[in-house]
Amino acid sequence: IQFSAPTAQSTFAFNVLSMLGEVLFTKEITAHKGVNTFDFDGNGLSNGTYLYSLGNETGTVVNKMTISK
């Protein structure tokens, strides 16, 4: 997953949710100013569609993702 951080040493919360809004996975990420990337493998999740959120104190973005193994 790739995202941009506007300031140096920003902390972001990454969450994976079921389509019903149940939090299934959470991780805190320390990002540097500019473009950042991290890997999420989804091994603990079944095939299906999920939501993920990535946010900090200035805002949150929510997107869909599909897991298929």
Side-chain angles (χ1 to χ4, degrees):
I1 295 174
Q2 184 174 340
F3 65 99
S4 295
T7 60
Q9 292 295 320
S10 299
T11 301
F12 286 79
F14 173 73
N15 297 296
V16 176
L17 303 96
S18 71
M19 293 303 286
L20 299 175
E22 178 185 6
V23 177
L24 305 172
F25 178 85
T26 188
K27 181 177 183 176
E28 190 172 287
I29 300 164
T30 301
H32 303 285
K33 185 176 182 177
V35 177
N36 293 266
T37 60
F38 70 95
D39 293 327
F40 175 73
D41 62 22
N43 280 336
L45 301 174
S46 300
N47 289 348
T49 302
Y50 298 87
L51 299 173
Y52 72 87
S53 66
L54 182 65
N56 64 6
E57 64 277 351
T58 62
T60 300
V61 174
V62 178
N63 285 308
K64 278 188 196 179
M65 72 175 166
T66 302
I67 303 283
S68 66
K69 301 175 188 176

Short mmCIF file of all heavy atoms in Angstrom, two decimals:
data_model
loop_
_atom_site.label_atom_id
_atom_site.label_comp_id
_atom_site.label_asym_id
_atom_site.label_seq_id
_atom_site.Cartn_x
_atom_site.Cartn_y
_atom_site.Cartn_z
N ILE A 1 0.86 -1.17 0.00
CA ILE A 1 0.00 0.00 0.00
C ILE A 1 0.90 1.22 0.00
O ILE A 1 1.85 1.29 0.77
CB ILE A 1 -0.95 -0.03 1.21
CG1 ILE A 1 -1.88 -1.23 1.07
CG2 ILE A 1 -1.72 1.27 1.33
CD1 ILE A 1 -2.78 -1.48 2.22
N GLN A 2 0.62 2.15 -0.86
CA GLN A 2 1.44 3.35 -1.00
C GLN A 2 0.61 4.57 -0.59
O GLN A 2 -0.57 4.66 -0.92
CB GLN A 2 1.88 3.50 -2.45
CG GLN A 2 2.79 4.66 -2.70
CD GLN A 2 3.30 4.67 -4.14
OE1 GLN A 2 3.29 3.68 -4.84
NE2 GLN A 2 3.76 5.82 -4.56
N PHE A 3 1.24 5.48 0.15
CA PHE A 3 0.57 6.70 0.59
C PHE A 3 1.60 7.80 0.81
O PHE A 3 2.79 7.54 0.91
CB PHE A 3 -0.23 6.45 1.87
CG PHE A 3 0.62 6.10 3.07
CD1 PHE A 3 0.94 7.07 4.01
CD2 PHE A 3 1.09 4.82 3.26
CE1 PHE A 3 1.72 6.76 5.11
CE2 PHE A 3 1.88 4.49 4.35
CZ PHE A 3 2.18 5.47 5.28
N SER A 4 1.12 9.03 0.88
CA SER A 4 2.00 10.18 1.09
C SER A 4 1.77 10.76 2.47
O SER A 4 0.63 10.86 2.94
CB SER A 4 1.74 11.26 0.05
OG SER A 4 2.08 10.80 -1.22
N ALA A 5 2.87 11.18 3.10
CA ALA A 5 2.81 11.86 4.39
C ALA A 5 3.28 13.29 4.19
O ALA A 5 4.35 13.52 3.63
CB ALA A 5 3.69 11.14 5.41
N PRO A 6 2.50 14.26 4.66
CA PRO A 6 2.85 15.66 4.43
C PRO A 6 3.96 16.18 5.34
O PRO A 6 4.62 17.16 5.01
CB PRO A 6 1.55 16.40 4.70
CG PRO A 6 0.81 15.53 5.65
CD PRO A 6 1.20 14.12 5.30
N THR A 7 4.19 15.53 6.48
CA THR A 7 5.20 16.01 7.43
C THR A 7 6.12 14.86 7.83
O THR A 7 5.79 13.69 7.67
CB THR A 7 4.54 16.58 8.71
OG1 THR A 7 3.76 15.55 9.32
CG2 THR A 7 3.65 17.77 8.39
N ALA A 8 7.27 15.23 8.37
CA ALA A 8 8.24 14.22 8.82
C ALA A 8 7.71 13.52 10.07
O ALA A 8 7.05 14.13 10.92
CB ALA A 8 9.57 14.89 9.12
N GLN A 9 8.01 12.23 10.18
CA GLN A 9 7.66 11.41 11.34
C GLN A 9 6.18 11.50 11.72
O GLN A 9 5.82 11.81 12.84
CB GLN A 9 8.54 11.78 12.54
CG GLN A 9 9.99 11.41 12.39
CD GLN A 9 10.20 9.90 12.31
OE1 GLN A 9 9.57 9.14 13.03
NE2 GLN A 9 11.08 9.46 11.43
N SER A 10 5.31 11.22 10.78
CA SER A 10 3.87 11.15 11.02
C SER A 10 3.50 9.74 11.43
O SER A 10 4.06 8.77 10.92
CB SER A 10 3.09 11.53 9.77
OG SER A 10 3.36 12.84 9.36
N THR A 11 2.54 9.61 12.32
CA THR A 11 2.04 8.31 12.72
C THR A 11 0.67 8.10 12.09
O THR A 11 -0.20 8.95 12.20
CB THR A 11 1.94 8.20 14.25
OG1 THR A 11 3.24 8.41 14.81
CG2 THR A 11 1.44 6.83 14.67
N PHE A 12 0.51 6.96 11.42
CA PHE A 12 -0.74 6.61 10.76
C PHE A 12 -1.30 5.33 11.37
O PHE A 12 -0.54 4.46 11.79
CB PHE A 12 -0.52 6.37 9.27
CG PHE A 12 -0.28 7.62 8.48
CD1 PHE A 12 0.95 8.23 8.48
CD2 PHE A 12 -1.31 8.18 7.73
CE1 PHE A 12 1.17 9.38 7.75
CE2 PHE A 12 -1.10 9.33 7.00
CZ PHE A 12 0.15 9.94 7.01
N ALA A 13 -2.61 5.21 11.40
CA ALA A 13 -3.28 3.98 11.81
C ALA A 13 -3.82 3.30 10.57
O ALA A 13 -4.52 3.92 9.77
CB ALA A 13 -4.41 4.29 12.78
N PHE A 14 -3.47 2.02 10.39
CA PHE A 14 -3.97 1.21 9.29
C PHE A 14 -4.90 0.16 9.87
O PHE A 14 -4.52 -0.57 10.80
CB PHE A 14 -2.80 0.53 8.55
CG PHE A 14 -3.24 -0.46 7.50
CD1 PHE A 14 -3.79 -0.02 6.31
CD2 PHE A 14 -3.09 -1.82 7.71
CE1 PHE A 14 -4.20 -0.93 5.35
CE2 PHE A 14 -3.49 -2.73 6.75
CZ PHE A 14 -4.05 -2.29 5.56
N ASN A 15 -6.12 0.10 9.37
CA ASN A 15 -7.11 -0.86 9.86
C ASN A 15 -7.75 -1.59 8.69
O ASN A 15 -8.02 -0.98 7.66
CB ASN A 15 -8.22 -0.15 10.65
CG ASN A 15 -7.69 0.53 11.88
OD1 ASN A 15 -7.20 -0.12 12.78
ND2 ASN A 15 -7.77 1.84 11.91
N VAL A 16 -8.00 -2.87 8.88
CA VAL A 16 -8.77 -3.65 7.92
C VAL A 16 -10.08 -4.01 8.60
O VAL A 16 -10.09 -4.48 9.73
CB VAL A 16 -8.01 -4.93 7.49
CG1 VAL A 16 -8.87 -5.77 6.57
CG2 VAL A 16 -6.70 -4.57 6.81
N LEU A 17 -11.18 -3.77 7.87
CA LEU A 17 -12.51 -3.99 8.42
C LEU A 17 -13.33 -4.91 7.53
O LEU A 17 -13.16 -4.90 6.30
CB LEU A 17 -13.26 -2.65 8.55
CG LEU A 17 -12.58 -1.58 9.38
CD1 LEU A 17 -11.81 -0.64 8.49
CD2 LEU A 17 -13.60 -0.83 10.18
N SER A 18 -14.22 -5.66 8.14
CA SER A 18 -15.19 -6.43 7.36
C SER A 18 -16.17 -5.45 6.74
O SER A 18 -16.22 -4.27 7.12
CB SER A 18 -15.93 -7.43 8.26
OG SER A 18 -16.83 -6.73 9.12
N MET A 19 -16.98 -5.91 5.81
CA MET A 19 -17.97 -5.05 5.19
C MET A 19 -19.05 -4.62 6.19
O MET A 19 -19.80 -3.69 5.94
CB MET A 19 -18.60 -5.73 3.97
CG MET A 19 -17.62 -5.94 2.83
SD MET A 19 -16.83 -4.43 2.23
CE MET A 19 -18.17 -3.70 1.35
N LEU A 20 -19.09 -5.27 7.36
CA LEU A 20 -20.01 -4.89 8.42
C LEU A 20 -19.39 -3.91 9.41
O LEU A 20 -20.03 -3.48 10.36
CB LEU A 20 -20.50 -6.14 9.17
CG LEU A 20 -21.25 -7.16 8.31
CD1 LEU A 20 -21.57 -8.41 9.13
CD2 LEU A 20 -22.52 -6.55 7.75
N GLY A 21 -18.11 -3.57 9.18
CA GLY A 21 -17.44 -2.59 10.03
C GLY A 21 -16.65 -3.16 11.18
O GLY A 21 -16.10 -2.41 12.00
N GLU A 22 -16.55 -4.48 11.28
CA GLU A 22 -15.78 -5.12 12.35
C GLU A 22 -14.29 -4.99 12.05
O GLU A 22 -13.84 -5.33 10.96
CB GLU A 22 -16.15 -6.59 12.43
CG GLU A 22 -15.39 -7.36 13.48
CD GLU A 22 -15.71 -8.85 13.46
OE1 GLU A 22 -16.44 -9.31 12.56
OE2 GLU A 22 -15.19 -9.55 14.34
N VAL A 23 -13.52 -4.49 13.02
CA VAL A 23 -12.07 -4.34 12.84
C VAL A 23 -11.42 -5.71 12.94
O VAL A 23 -11.54 -6.40 13.95
CB VAL A 23 -11.47 -3.37 13.88
CG1 VAL A 23 -9.96 -3.28 13.72
CG2 VAL A 23 -12.10 -1.99 13.76
N LEU A 24 -10.72 -6.11 11.87
CA LEU A 24 -10.09 -7.42 11.80
C LEU A 24 -8.58 -7.38 11.96
O LEU A 24 -7.95 -8.37 12.32
CB LEU A 24 -10.42 -8.07 10.45
CG LEU A 24 -11.91 -8.19 10.13
CD1 LEU A 24 -12.09 -8.68 8.70
CD2 LEU A 24 -12.60 -9.11 11.11
N PHE A 25 -7.99 -6.23 11.68
CA PHE A 25 -6.53 -6.07 11.74
C PHE A 25 -6.24 -4.60 11.97
O PHE A 25 -6.92 -3.73 11.43
CB PHE A 25 -5.90 -6.52 10.41
CG PHE A 25 -4.42 -6.35 10.35
CD1 PHE A 25 -3.56 -7.31 10.85
CD2 PHE A 25 -3.86 -5.20 9.79
CE1 PHE A 25 -2.18 -7.14 10.79
CE2 PHE A 25 -2.49 -5.03 9.74
CZ PHE A 25 -1.64 -6.00 10.24
N THR A 26 -5.24 -4.31 12.77
CA THR A 26 -4.83 -2.93 12.99
C THR A 26 -3.31 -2.87 13.14
O THR A 26 -2.69 -3.80 13.65
CB THR A 26 -5.54 -2.31 14.21
OG1 THR A 26 -5.25 -0.93 14.27
CG2 THR A 26 -5.17 -2.99 15.49
N LYS A 27 -2.73 -1.79 12.64
CA LYS A 27 -1.29 -1.60 12.74
C LYS A 27 -1.00 -0.10 12.77
O LYS A 27 -1.62 0.67 12.03
CB LYS A 27 -0.59 -2.23 11.53
CG LYS A 27 0.91 -2.10 11.55
CD LYS A 27 1.55 -2.81 10.37
CE LYS A 27 3.05 -2.72 10.45
NZ LYS A 27 3.70 -3.46 9.37
N GLU A 28 -0.06 0.29 13.60
CA GLU A 28 0.39 1.68 13.64
C GLU A 28 1.65 1.79 12.79
O GLU A 28 2.56 0.97 12.91
CB GLU A 28 0.68 2.10 15.08
CG GLU A 28 0.91 3.58 15.23
CD GLU A 28 0.99 3.99 16.69
OE1 GLU A 28 -0.05 4.02 17.35
OE2 GLU A 28 2.12 4.26 17.14
N ILE A 29 1.69 2.80 11.93
CA ILE A 29 2.80 2.97 10.99
C ILE A 29 3.43 4.33 11.21
O ILE A 29 2.73 5.34 11.24
CB ILE A 29 2.28 2.87 9.54
CG1 ILE A 29 1.64 1.51 9.31
CG2 ILE A 29 3.40 3.13 8.55
CD1 ILE A 29 0.79 1.46 8.08
N THR A 30 4.75 4.36 11.34
CA THR A 30 5.48 5.62 11.39
C THR A 30 5.99 5.92 9.99
O THR A 30 6.73 5.13 9.41
CB THR A 30 6.66 5.54 12.37
OG1 THR A 30 6.15 5.23 13.67
CG2 THR A 30 7.41 6.86 12.43
N ALA A 31 5.55 7.05 9.45
CA ALA A 31 5.88 7.41 8.07
C ALA A 31 6.80 8.61 8.05
O ALA A 31 6.81 9.43 8.96
CB ALA A 31 4.61 7.71 7.30
N HIS A 32 7.57 8.71 6.98
CA HIS A 32 8.45 9.85 6.75
C HIS A 32 7.80 10.77 5.73
O HIS A 32 6.92 10.36 4.98
CB HIS A 32 9.81 9.37 6.25
CG HIS A 32 10.45 8.40 7.19
ND1 HIS A 32 11.02 8.78 8.39
CD2 HIS A 32 10.57 7.05 7.14
CE1 HIS A 32 11.48 7.72 9.01
NE2 HIS A 32 11.22 6.64 8.29
N LYS A 33 8.22 11.99 5.67
CA LYS A 33 7.66 12.95 4.72
C LYS A 33 7.84 12.43 3.30
O LYS A 33 8.89 11.92 2.93
CB LYS A 33 8.35 14.31 4.87
CG LYS A 33 7.74 15.38 3.99
CD LYS A 33 8.38 16.73 4.24
CE LYS A 33 7.70 17.78 3.36
NZ LYS A 33 8.24 19.11 3.64
N GLY A 34 6.78 12.53 2.51
CA GLY A 34 6.82 12.06 1.13
C GLY A 34 6.10 10.74 0.96
O GLY A 34 5.23 10.37 1.75
N VAL A 35 6.47 10.00 -0.07
CA VAL A 35 5.81 8.75 -0.40
C VAL A 35 6.34 7.62 0.49
O VAL A 35 7.54 7.47 0.66
CB VAL A 35 6.03 8.40 -1.89
CG1 VAL A 35 5.42 7.05 -2.23
CG2 VAL A 35 5.44 9.49 -2.78
N ASN A 36 5.41 6.84 1.04
CA ASN A 36 5.73 5.70 1.89
C ASN A 36 5.00 4.47 1.36
O ASN A 36 3.93 4.59 0.75
CB ASN A 36 5.25 5.96 3.32
CG ASN A 36 6.02 7.07 4.00
OD1 ASN A 36 6.98 6.83 4.68
ND2 ASN A 36 5.59 8.31 3.79
N THR A 37 5.56 3.31 1.60
CA THR A 37 4.90 2.06 1.22
C THR A 37 5.03 1.05 2.35
O THR A 37 5.96 1.12 3.16
CB THR A 37 5.51 1.43 -0.05
OG1 THR A 37 6.89 1.16 0.18
CG2 THR A 37 5.37 2.34 -1.25
N PHE A 38 4.07 0.14 2.42
CA PHE A 38 4.18 -1.00 3.32
C PHE A 38 3.38 -2.15 2.72
O PHE A 38 2.49 -1.96 1.90
CB PHE A 38 3.72 -0.66 4.74
CG PHE A 38 2.24 -0.44 4.89
CD1 PHE A 38 1.40 -1.47 5.28
CD2 PHE A 38 1.68 0.80 4.63
CE1 PHE A 38 0.05 -1.26 5.41
CE2 PHE A 38 0.33 1.02 4.77
CZ PHE A 38 -0.49 -0.02 5.16
N ASP A 39 3.75 -3.37 3.12
CA ASP A 39 3.11 -4.58 2.61
C ASP A 39 2.06 -5.07 3.59
O ASP A 39 2.28 -5.07 4.80
CB ASP A 39 4.14 -5.69 2.38
CG ASP A 39 5.09 -5.36 1.26
OD1 ASP A 39 4.68 -4.70 0.30
OD2 ASP A 39 6.27 -5.76 1.35
N PHE A 40 0.93 -5.49 3.05
CA PHE A 40 -0.10 -6.17 3.83
C PHE A 40 -0.44 -7.43 3.07
O PHE A 40 -0.90 -7.38 1.93
CB PHE A 40 -1.34 -5.28 3.99
CG PHE A 40 -2.46 -5.99 4.67
CD1 PHE A 40 -2.40 -6.26 6.02
CD2 PHE A 40 -3.57 -6.41 3.96
CE1 PHE A 40 -3.42 -6.94 6.66
CE2 PHE A 40 -4.60 -7.09 4.58
CZ PHE A 40 -4.53 -7.36 5.93
N ASP A 41 -0.20 -8.61 3.67
CA ASP A 41 -0.38 -9.86 2.94
C ASP A 41 -1.77 -10.47 3.09
O ASP A 41 -2.18 -11.26 2.25
CB ASP A 41 0.70 -10.87 3.28
CG ASP A 41 0.71 -11.27 4.73
OD1 ASP A 41 -0.31 -11.13 5.43
OD2 ASP A 41 1.76 -11.76 5.19
N GLY A 42 -2.50 -10.17 4.12
CA GLY A 42 -3.86 -10.68 4.28
C GLY A 42 -3.96 -12.17 4.51
O GLY A 42 -5.04 -12.75 4.32
N ASN A 43 -2.89 -12.82 4.94
CA ASN A 43 -2.91 -14.27 5.15
C ASN A 43 -3.96 -14.73 6.15
O ASN A 43 -4.50 -15.81 6.03
CB ASN A 43 -1.54 -14.78 5.59
CG ASN A 43 -0.59 -14.94 4.42
OD1 ASN A 43 -1.02 -15.10 3.29
ND2 ASN A 43 0.69 -14.89 4.70
N GLY A 44 -4.27 -13.91 7.13
CA GLY A 44 -5.24 -14.30 8.15
C GLY A 44 -6.68 -14.05 7.74
O GLY A 44 -7.59 -14.30 8.53
N LEU A 45 -6.91 -13.59 6.51
CA LEU A 45 -8.26 -13.27 6.06
C LEU A 45 -8.73 -14.26 5.00
O LEU A 45 -7.94 -14.76 4.21
CB LEU A 45 -8.30 -11.85 5.47
CG LEU A 45 -7.89 -10.72 6.41
CD1 LEU A 45 -7.85 -9.40 5.65
CD2 LEU A 45 -8.85 -10.62 7.58
N SER A 46 -10.01 -14.52 4.98
CA SER A 46 -10.62 -15.37 3.95
C SER A 46 -10.77 -14.58 2.67
O SER A 46 -10.73 -13.34 2.67
CB SER A 46 -12.00 -15.83 4.41
OG SER A 46 -11.92 -16.56 5.59
N ASN A 47 -10.99 -15.29 1.56
CA ASN A 47 -11.29 -14.62 0.30
C ASN A 47 -12.53 -13.74 0.49
O ASN A 47 -13.49 -14.13 1.16
CB ASN A 47 -11.59 -15.64 -0.80
CG ASN A 47 -10.35 -16.39 -1.24
OD1 ASN A 47 -9.22 -16.03 -0.91
ND2 ASN A 47 -10.55 -17.44 -2.00
N GLY A 48 -12.49 -12.55 -0.09
CA GLY A 48 -13.64 -11.66 0.01
C GLY A 48 -13.25 -10.22 -0.16
O GLY A 48 -12.10 -9.88 -0.43
N THR A 49 -14.23 -9.35 0.03
CA THR A 49 -14.03 -7.91 -0.08
C THR A 49 -13.99 -7.30 1.32
O THR A 49 -14.83 -7.62 2.17
CB THR A 49 -15.16 -7.27 -0.91
OG1 THR A 49 -15.18 -7.89 -2.20
CG2 THR A 49 -14.94 -5.77 -1.08
N TYR A 50 -13.04 -6.42 1.53
CA TYR A 50 -12.83 -5.78 2.82
C TYR A 50 -12.66 -4.28 2.61
O TYR A 50 -12.42 -3.82 1.50
CB TYR A 50 -11.56 -6.34 3.50
CG TYR A 50 -11.65 -7.80 3.79
CD1 TYR A 50 -11.27 -8.75 2.84
CD2 TYR A 50 -12.11 -8.25 5.02
CE1 TYR A 50 -11.35 -10.10 3.11
CE2 TYR A 50 -12.20 -9.60 5.29
CZ TYR A 50 -11.82 -10.52 4.34
OH TYR A 50 -11.92 -11.86 4.60
N LEU A 51 -12.77 -3.54 3.69
CA LEU A 51 -12.45 -2.12 3.69
C LEU A 51 -11.14 -1.96 4.43
O LEU A 51 -10.84 -2.71 5.37
CB LEU A 51 -13.54 -1.32 4.39
CG LEU A 51 -14.93 -1.39 3.79
CD1 LEU A 51 -15.92 -0.68 4.70
CD2 LEU A 51 -14.95 -0.78 2.41
N TYR A 52 -10.35 -0.97 4.01
CA TYR A 52 -9.20 -0.61 4.83
C TYR A 52 -9.20 0.90 5.00
O TYR A 52 -9.66 1.65 4.14
CB TYR A 52 -7.88 -1.11 4.26
CG TYR A 52 -7.36 -0.43 3.02
CD1 TYR A 52 -6.58 0.72 3.11
CD2 TYR A 52 -7.62 -0.95 1.76
CE1 TYR A 52 -6.09 1.34 1.97
CE2 TYR A 52 -7.14 -0.34 0.61
CZ TYR A 52 -6.37 0.81 0.73
OH TYR A 52 -5.88 1.42 -0.39
N SER A 53 -8.73 1.33 6.16
CA SER A 53 -8.61 2.75 6.44
C SER A 53 -7.17 3.06 6.80
O SER A 53 -6.48 2.25 7.41
CB SER A 53 -9.55 3.18 7.57
OG SER A 53 -9.18 2.59 8.79
N LEU A 54 -6.73 4.23 6.38
CA LEU A 54 -5.39 4.71 6.68
C LEU A 54 -5.54 6.17 7.04
O LEU A 54 -6.05 6.97 6.24
CB LEU A 54 -4.48 4.54 5.46
CG LEU A 54 -3.03 4.96 5.63
CD1 LEU A 54 -2.33 4.07 6.65
CD2 LEU A 54 -2.30 4.90 4.31
N GLY A 55 -5.15 6.51 8.26
CA GLY A 55 -5.36 7.90 8.67
C GLY A 55 -4.45 8.34 9.79
O GLY A 55 -3.78 7.54 10.44
N ASN A 56 -4.46 9.65 9.98
CA ASN A 56 -3.74 10.27 11.10
C ASN A 56 -4.59 11.41 11.62
O ASN A 56 -5.78 11.49 11.32
CB ASN A 56 -2.33 10.72 10.68
CG ASN A 56 -2.34 11.81 9.63
OD1 ASN A 56 -3.38 12.34 9.27
ND2 ASN A 56 -1.17 12.15 9.12
N GLU A 57 -3.98 12.32 12.38
CA GLU A 57 -4.75 13.40 13.00
C GLU A 57 -5.34 14.38 11.99
O GLU A 57 -6.25 15.13 12.32
CB GLU A 57 -3.89 14.15 14.03
CG GLU A 57 -2.69 14.88 13.46
CD GLU A 57 -1.46 13.99 13.23
OE1 GLU A 57 -1.45 12.83 13.66
OE2 GLU A 57 -0.51 14.49 12.61
N THR A 58 -4.87 14.38 10.75
CA THR A 58 -5.38 15.33 9.76
C THR A 58 -6.46 14.75 8.87
O THR A 58 -7.12 15.49 8.14
CB THR A 58 -4.25 15.88 8.87
OG1 THR A 58 -3.65 14.80 8.16
CG2 THR A 58 -3.20 16.59 9.71
N GLY A 59 -6.66 13.43 8.87
CA GLY A 59 -7.71 12.84 8.05
C GLY A 59 -7.53 11.35 7.86
O GLY A 59 -6.49 10.78 8.21
N THR A 60 -8.57 10.73 7.31
CA THR A 60 -8.57 9.28 7.08
C THR A 60 -9.11 8.99 5.68
O THR A 60 -10.07 9.62 5.24
CB THR A 60 -9.45 8.57 8.12
OG1 THR A 60 -8.93 8.85 9.42
CG2 THR A 60 -9.47 7.07 7.91
N VAL A 61 -8.49 8.02 5.02
CA VAL A 61 -8.94 7.55 3.71
C VAL A 61 -9.42 6.12 3.88
O VAL A 61 -8.77 5.32 4.54
CB VAL A 61 -7.78 7.60 2.68
CG1 VAL A 61 -8.19 6.98 1.36
CG2 VAL A 61 -7.31 9.02 2.49
N VAL A 62 -10.57 5.81 3.27
CA VAL A 62 -11.12 4.45 3.32
C VAL A 62 -11.26 3.96 1.88
O VAL A 62 -11.78 4.66 1.02
CB VAL A 62 -12.49 4.42 4.03
CG1 VAL A 62 -13.07 3.00 4.02
CG2 VAL A 62 -12.39 4.94 5.43
N ASN A 63 -10.78 2.72 1.63
CA ASN A 63 -10.87 2.09 0.31
C ASN A 63 -11.28 0.64 0.45
O ASN A 63 -11.14 0.05 1.52
CB ASN A 63 -9.52 2.15 -0.41
CG ASN A 63 -9.21 3.52 -0.95
OD1 ASN A 63 -10.01 4.11 -1.65
ND2 ASN A 63 -8.04 4.03 -0.59
N LYS A 64 -11.72 0.05 -0.66
CA LYS A 64 -12.05 -1.37 -0.72
C LYS A 64 -10.82 -2.14 -1.18
O LYS A 64 -10.02 -1.63 -1.96
CB LYS A 64 -13.15 -1.64 -1.72
CG LYS A 64 -14.53 -1.40 -1.25
CD LYS A 64 -15.47 -1.93 -2.33
CE LYS A 64 -16.86 -1.40 -2.15
NZ LYS A 64 -17.75 -1.90 -3.20
N MET A 65 -10.72 -3.39 -0.74
CA MET A 65 -9.71 -4.29 -1.29
C MET A 65 -10.33 -5.69 -1.35
O MET A 65 -11.22 -6.02 -0.57
CB MET A 65 -8.43 -4.29 -0.47
CG MET A 65 -8.50 -4.94 0.85
SD MET A 65 -6.86 -4.97 1.62
CE MET A 65 -7.32 -5.40 3.27
N THR A 66 -9.85 -6.48 -2.29
CA THR A 66 -10.33 -7.84 -2.46
C THR A 66 -9.17 -8.80 -2.20
O THR A 66 -8.08 -8.62 -2.71
CB THR A 66 -10.85 -8.05 -3.90
OG1 THR A 66 -11.90 -7.12 -4.13
CG2 THR A 66 -11.36 -9.45 -4.09
N ILE A 67 -9.45 -9.81 -1.39
CA ILE A 67 -8.48 -10.86 -1.09
C ILE A 67 -8.91 -12.09 -1.89
O ILE A 67 -10.06 -12.53 -1.79
CB ILE A 67 -8.46 -11.21 0.40
CG1 ILE A 67 -8.17 -10.00 1.27
CG2 ILE A 67 -7.49 -12.36 0.68
CD1 ILE A 67 -6.75 -9.54 1.31
N SER A 68 -8.02 -12.62 -2.70
CA SER A 68 -8.28 -13.89 -3.39
C SER A 68 -6.99 -14.69 -3.41
O SER A 68 -5.95 -14.19 -3.78
CB SER A 68 -8.82 -13.67 -4.80
OG SER A 68 -7.86 -13.07 -5.62
N LYS A 69 -7.08 -15.89 -2.94
CA LYS A 69 -5.89 -16.75 -2.80
C LYS A 69 -5.94 -17.88 -3.78
O LYS A 69 -6.95 -18.32 -4.22
CB LYS A 69 -5.80 -17.29 -1.37
CG LYS A 69 -5.72 -16.17 -0.36
CD LYS A 69 -5.77 -16.73 1.03
CE LYS A 69 -5.88 -15.59 2.02
NZ LYS A 69 -6.02 -16.02 3.37
#
